[in-house]
Each structure stands twice: as C-alpha cells, then as structure tokens.
Amino acid sequence: MKIDFVSDVSCPWCAIGLKSLEEGIARLGDTVKVDLHFQPFELNPDMAPQGQDIGEHLMQKYGATAEQRAQSGEAIRARGAALGFTFRMDLRGRIYNTFDAHRLLHWAELEGRQLALKHALFKAYFTDGQDPSSHEVLVTVAGEVGLDVQRAREVLASNEFADEVREREEFYRQHGIQAVPSVIINDRHLIQGGQPPEVFERALRELLSAA
C-alpha cells in the first residue's frame, strides 16, 4: 500500500499525524505492507532566513490571541504526549523557512533514510527547539540518523534537489492540497489533518478489504 505523507517539518499537526498514522499501521500487524513517502509542503515559503517570532507570526497569519495560542499549544502538547511525542512549546520561539530541510529529505529518500530523518527533524524543532533552517542543525541531524555528513553539507551548500522539491510542491498544489498533513493512500484516497490512530486504522482496513 503506497502512502504519500504531504507535510512540513514546522507543522505540529504533521508530527501528530505521522505518529497517529504509524500507530494505525502497527495495529494492522502483518496484514499490510506500507510504502511510505514524505512529500514537501511549505507552510511559509516566503519566510525570511532569520525566521519570525512565533507569537507575532500566528497573530499575523491567523489572528490568534495569546490565550488562543496557549489553548492550542496545550491541545497539541497533550495529543503529542498521548502518542509518545514530546512538544516543548517553551523552546519553540520562532518559525523558520523549511525549504532546505525538504531538499535534505528528498536526498534522504534516495538513501533509504527518509523516515528516520523526518522523525529527527520533528524532534529537533518541536522537542529540542532547534532551527530547521540552519545548515549546521540539518547536517547534525542527518549524521544522527546515519546519513553521510559530508554529502549532506554538499547538498545544502548547493541548489541540489531544489527543482525536484519545487516540482513536487507544485504537483500537490495543482491537485488541491492546501493544508497539511495530507495523507494520500494509493494515489486516490485522501485523509487530512492530525487524525487519531483509529481513523487511519479504519481507512486502511477498509481499503484492504476492498482490494
């Protein structure tokens, strides 16, 4: 079963959605074999290199008050905790440009380490409060998941895979993907949002029984 997980590494609901999807898959045991691919989506493609204060950003983009941000942050923290993922909202002070992270993820797929890198990038940003636009952070994280550090530096220092990432981003925009996470099963079935594991489990079971 092919699954395309369209997401951004700075999207908390994408981290939740991935953990939920993995749990849903695990509940099916050996009845399903999944071919999982991460596809790029930038929530803030025009974000400046230095990033932006997250409170300021959420106020400008969504009109979210401090109280609303606190409520949302607690809901995200609790959902993450229930799935075994730690959100440290106190360490997440800024939002960043993620294009280079997507280029690194594209390369990691070719190296067979995309899933490990995706998890590591979520942890670096949401748990450790690191800057996912920093090449030093990206190189360090790449090394932690077994990718070649020197090759990672070469990729980031160039424009390698930039065209491929933009092409994939445009492909999903053209197919109506405007919010993430968007989980596309077998190129046909769409599940959106940070759904609970039960939703993914049920969808996968229904598709298996219909096959």
Side-chain angles (χ1 to χ4, degrees), residues 119-141:
H119 276 299
L121 288 170
F122 279 146
K123 178 181 180 295
Y125 182 50
F126 291 113
T127 306
D128 302 333
Q130 296 182 298
D131 173 1
S133 70
S134 162
H135 286 190
E136 283 306 309
V137 168
L138 292 173
V139 166
T140 298
V141 171

Side-chain angles (χ1 to χ4, degrees), residues 135-189:
H135 286 190
E136 283 306 309
V137 168
L138 292 173
V139 166
T140 298
V141 171
E144 288 172 353
V145 300
L147 287 160
D148 183 272
V149 169
Q150 184 55 40
R151 180 74 179 105
R153 288 189 191 280
E154 291 172 0
V155 170
L156 292 168
S158 68
N159 285 320
E160 199 167 357
F161 306 120
D163 290 344
E164 289 87 341
V165 169
R166 290 193 179 97
E167 182 180 327
R168 287 192 180 187
E169 287 179 332
E170 183 60 24
F171 174 84
Y172 288 101
R173 273 196 299 269
Q174 291 291 330
H175 284 77
I177 301 300
Q178 297 179 331
V180 288
S182 289
V183 181
I184 304 164
I185 305 171
N186 289 339
D187 298 318
R188 294 183 60 190
H189 308 279

